[in-house]
Each structure stands twice: as C-alpha cells, then as structure tokens.
Amino acid sequence: MKKAALALLLTLTLASCGTIAGVGEDITGASRTVQGWF
C-alpha cells in the first residue's frame, strides 16, 4: 500500500512539473515544510 501511494505521489509530482528543475524546487519546498514541523 505504501509503495502504491509513493508511486502515485511521484507520478503526480512529475506530471505537475514541466521540468526537472521544477521537480527539484517542489522537493526542496516540501522538505522545508516537513522540517518546519519538527
């Protein structure tokens, strides 16, 4: 189940970003958000 959710998340992330740089920015933003929780 976790693998399917991760695959779906990655697919949606890649589909929403037109470029590799956009994916990197999204990952950086998400990691900063999670880091802010802790």
Side-chain angles (χ1 to χ4, degrees):
M1 183 67 181
K2 289 182 181 180
K3 287 184 181 180
L6 181 60
L8 178 61
L9 178 64
L10 289 174
T11 301
L12 291 174
T13 300
L14 292 173
S16 65
C17 300
T19 64
I20 297 300
V23 173
E25 291 173 9
D26 288 346
I27 292 171
T28 300
S31 66
R32 287 183 181 155
T33 300
V34 171
Q35 187 177 27
W37 294 343
F38 298 103

